[in-house]
Amino acid sequence: MPSSAAAITGDIDRTSGTAIYVQLRELLRSYIAQSCPPGSALPSERDLAERFGLARMTVRQAIDALVGEEVIERVVGLGTFVRRPKLDLQVKLTSYSEEMQRRGMVPAAKVLSFEQITASAFLARELQLDEGTPLVRFRRLLLADGEPMSVDENFIPAHRVPGLLDGEPPTSLYNVLSEQFGLVMEWGEDMIEATAASPSTARLLNVEVGSPLLKIQRHAFVARAMVDYSVSYYRADRYKLWVPLQRPGARRARNH
Amino acid sequence: MPSSAAAITGDIDRTSGTAIYVQLRELLRSYIAQSCPPGSALPSERDLAERFGLARMTVRQAIDALVGEEVIERVVGLGTFVRRPKLDLQVKLTSYSEEMQRRGMVPAAKVLSFEQITASAFLARELQLDEGTPLVRFRRLLLADGEPMSVDENFIPAHRVPGLLDGEPPTSLYNVLSEQFGLVMEWGEDMIEATAASPSTARLLNVEVGSPLLKIQRHAFVARAMVDYSVSYYRADRYKLWVPLQRPGARRARNH
DNA sequence: TTTTAGGGCAGGTCTAGACCAGTGCGGTCC
DNA sequence: GGACCGCACTGGTCTAGACCTGCCCTAAAA
């Protein structure tokens, strides 16, 4: 016998400004947490609609959210059931630069190029700009303990860094971007893959052609605007990436 | 100017038995793949509803699905936009098959071995156990669309999974660990590096010896105890890792 | 020239119905 | 007793509207 909708305490406040389905979702969430062991059934959608005086579509919207969070599970013809909490590993954060320091190596960099170019079709797509847009290209060979570690190439829209090319190549690109141009990177995304060393990269990194490299493409954003696209090739024999994983845990409280 | 709904080819077949929103979802998906670079706008929901002769709620259902897949993104007052494609996987270990299906690929796995072994010095160190401790070794070749994707090897202390070897090799290891043995992974760490395919791995993955592979070693923990050590080799040509980064002070505008 | 007020359009939410398909139970007919 | 059928119930899908807020642009006002 399915649980009765009357068993759910609390009510919907239509004047609160909070979306009804959000209120119902949270009511259901706490109801589940308090009185529903895994496998138990929720009241049917029609029961809930009647209990709270809502349209069934609205009830479904609340249930949809919890199904999306994998808190509950629908079974056609049977009902909606509480799931066993499920493992869901997710990369949360990579403290990339800290990680470099943590290795305790002596860093150095050799500037390979520092110039203005125009965006190719590929770069235009990566930076979400028009083809031909002026870019600053900054390419370096990064060393650790005197031995090549990676080849790094950054592309920044030129209009965001006026006068950057007039000075010396910066030691720390991100420091200059934030201190001199107010471009504080807020978020970004890394695309990580394995690749084989091309002849030119192999020579720079002092490895054999075809050696495995870790390729990391990064898009860095300020607000919604991308201000940096970079590609790095790391020597696989010298560099490993450490990524902490954690369970999703509590959900955020956005939506108003 | 937003793209015109008329630009989308194809139509809805109301007699096919396939849900309309599923048909529209796939139409949109292929339209996006073919003609929408990241950042471009989709036709508005009302345009789509008119173009295909559907209720707006039905169109929203199709769009909801793609938003849930993070293929597109809604912005109130502006429209719906194509996101940067994520060729990620991150949740793969929880449910490789679900993840593959989500990406429209047909998952499969071939069990290479499923047996009890004793911990070598290396494995003992990785699992923080004594040498000689009985372990369950589970090695698989994971396929997507019939083509090899990765070679996966898991090591689990045998005393944590009594009777596991008596049954069939599990389809989803992590599901069995949590549902049958109550081992819900709470956190872990990945070590990511690039490597070259060894002859045996190359044969399994159907690539040439020396091809770049992404090697991911994972330690997964329940409470403070490690319960799984795994090593996976992913084909670099089929697998990329997508890692979102968040810097201190990030604020990510949007989200009501 | 700068500021402000609309208007148009975007997505967000909600309603009150409709019919479909899968499930399980109970009763009927053999 | 056992096979079967149908009904009541579940979630799944869909409609055709409604009104809300947020965003941007433009034209009028300052």
Side-chain angles (χ1 to χ4, degrees):
Chain A
M1 174 177 132
S3 33
S4 159
I8 302 182
T9 57
D11 233 323
I12 302 294
D13 177 6
R14 282 174 183 269
T15 67
S16 72
T18 304
I20 292 176
Y21 85 90
V22 172
Q23 294 183 46
L24 179 57
R25 184 191 69 200
E26 296 311 315
L27 273 174
L28 289 174
R29 195 199 301 283
S30 58
Y31 171 66
I32 289 166
Q34 284 166 27
S35 7
C36 291
S40 62
L42 251 55
S44 77
E45 296 174 355
R46 288 172 177 85
D47 282 355
L48 286 169
E50 191 181 1
R51 155 79 173 80
F52 291 100
L54 304 172
R56 190 175 150 221
M57 287 294 281
T58 307
V59 173
R60 278 185 68 82
Q61 207 172 352
I63 291 181
D64 275 342
L66 294 175
V67 169
E69 292 180 30
E70 306 195 330
V71 172
I72 56 181
E73 180 181 18
R74 289 193 171 105
V75 182
V76 182
L78 284 181
T80 306
F81 302 89
V82 178
R83 292 184 60 145
R84 186 177 302 276
K86 194 188 156 193
L87 164 76
D88 190 349
L89 297 177
Q90 192 95 40
V91 174
K92 278 301 174 196
L93 198 108
T94 56
S95 53
Y96 182 77
S97 43
E98 280 174 21
E99 184 60 27
M100 286 291 271
Q101 287 187 338
R102 209 175 60 83
R103 290 163 207 262
M105 293 177 164
V106 179
K110 183 185 168 190
V111 175
L112 301 175
S113 66
F114 184 51
E115 60 190 344
Q116 179 159 331
I117 61 169
T118 57
S120 66
F122 172 78
L123 287 173
R125 194 167 59 248
E126 290 298 327
L127 279 161
Q128 298 173 355
L129 294 170
D130 292 327
E131 200 172 333
T133 305
L135 301 177
V136 171
R137 175 180 185 238
F138 187 35
R139 189 154 178 262
R140 288 175 300 174
L141 177 66
L142 295 176
L143 311 160
D145 289 344
E147 185 73 10
M149 168 69 95
S150 77
V151 177
D152 242 72
E153 197 168 18
N154 288 77
F155 299 92
I156 303 157
H159 67 89
R160 292 199 169 268
V161 288
L164 175 63
L165 285 168
D166 299 341
E168 286 296 301
T171 315
S172 168
L173 180 60
Y174 276 43
N175 277 356
V176 169
L177 287 182
S178 69
E179 288 166 16
Q180 200 170 327
F181 300 98
L183 296 175
V184 180
M185 303 300 176
E186 286 164 357
W187 59 290
E189 9 180 73
D190 275 2
M191 185 69 78
I192 302 166
E193 58 190 304
T195 186
S198 68
S200 60
T201 308
R203 197 172 61 249
L204 284 169
L205 289 176
N206 197 24
V207 296
E208 295 196 4
V209 174
S211 299
L213 302 178
L214 207 54
K215 176 183 179 184
I216 301 183
Q217 295 177 79
R218 172 169 298 185
H219 298 86
F221 298 77
V222 172
R224 286 213 198 122
M226 199 185 306
V227 297
D228 178 41
Y229 165 66
S230 68
V231 187
S232 309
Y233 292 93
Y234 290 87
R235 273 175 57 168
D237 59 335
R238 301 200 71 197
Y239 188 83
K240 295 179 183 182
L241 200 59
W242 182 84
V243 180
L245 307 166
Q246 54 179 274
R247 211 172 27 153
R251 296 278 163 171
R252 71 287 119 125
R254 17 193 250 187
N255 290 87
H256 301 111
Chain B
M1 176 179 137
S3 35
S4 159
I8 303 182
T9 58
D11 234 324
I12 302 296
D13 178 6
R14 283 172 182 271
T15 66
S16 71
T18 305
I20 290 177
Y21 84 91
V22 172
Q23 294 183 47
L24 178 56
R25 185 189 69 201
E26 296 311 315
L27 273 175
L28 288 174
R29 196 198 299 282
S30 58
Y31 171 66
I32 289 165
Q34 285 166 26
S35 9
C36 291
S40 61
L42 250 57
S44 78
E45 297 175 352
R46 288 172 178 86
D47 281 357
L48 286 169
E50 191 181 0
R51 155 78 172 80
F52 291 100
L54 303 172
R56 190 172 151 224
M57 286 294 283
T58 307
V59 173
R60 279 185 66 83
Q61 207 173 351
I63 290 181
D64 275 342
L66 294 175
V67 169
E69 292 180 31
E70 306 195 328
V71 172
I72 55 182
E73 178 181 22
R74 288 194 170 107
V75 182
V76 182
L78 283 182
T80 306
F81 302 89
V82 178
R83 291 185 58 146
R84 161 168 315 284
K86 285 185 10 181
L87 309 166
D88 69 343
L89 260 211
Q90 262 326 299
V91 270
K92 76 179 161 34
L93 271 194
T94 50
S95 173
Y96 175 81
S97 45
E98 272 177 27
E99 181 61 23
M100 283 303 161
Q101 281 164 354
R102 194 179 68 78
R103 299 169 64 195
M105 303 177 106
V106 180
K110 186 182 165 192
V111 175
L112 302 175
S113 66
F114 184 51
E115 59 191 345
Q116 179 158 330
I117 62 170
T118 56
S120 65
F122 172 78
L123 286 173
R125 196 167 59 247
E126 291 297 327
L127 280 161
Q128 299 171 356
L129 294 170
D130 292 327
E131 200 171 333
T133 305
L135 302 178
V136 171
R137 175 180 186 240
F138 187 34
R139 188 155 179 262
R140 287 176 301 173
L141 177 66
L142 295 174
L143 310 160
D145 285 345
E147 187 72 10
M149 172 68 94
S150 76
V151 177
D152 250 69
E153 195 167 18
N154 288 76
F155 299 93
I156 302 156
H159 67 88
R160 292 199 169 268
V161 287
L164 175 62
L165 285 168
D166 298 340
E168 287 294 301
T171 315
S172 168
L173 179 60
Y174 276 46
N175 277 355
V176 169
L177 287 182
S178 70
E179 285 166 20
Q180 199 169 327
F181 301 100
L183 296 174
V184 179
M185 305 298 176
E186 285 162 0
W187 62 289
E189 36 185 43
D190 273 5
M191 186 67 80
I192 302 166
E193 59 189 301
T195 186
S198 68
S200 61
T201 308
R203 196 171 62 249
L204 283 169
L205 289 176
N206 197 24
V207 296
E208 297 198 0
V209 174
S211 299
L213 301 177
L214 208 54
K215 177 183 178 183
I216 301 183
Q217 295 177 78
R218 173 169 296 187
H219 297 87
F221 297 79
V222 172
R224 294 224 183 91
M226 198 184 310
V227 297
D228 178 41
Y229 166 67
S230 68
V231 186
S232 309
Y233 293 93
Y234 291 87
R235 273 175 56 167
D237 60 334
R238 300 200 75 195
Y239 183 86
K240 295 179 182 182
L241 206 56
W242 183 86
V243 181
L245 308 167
Q246 193 100 35
R247 308 228 164 248
R251 79 187 151 71
R252 279 203 87 152
R254 102 188 43 157
N255 281 344
H256 2 282

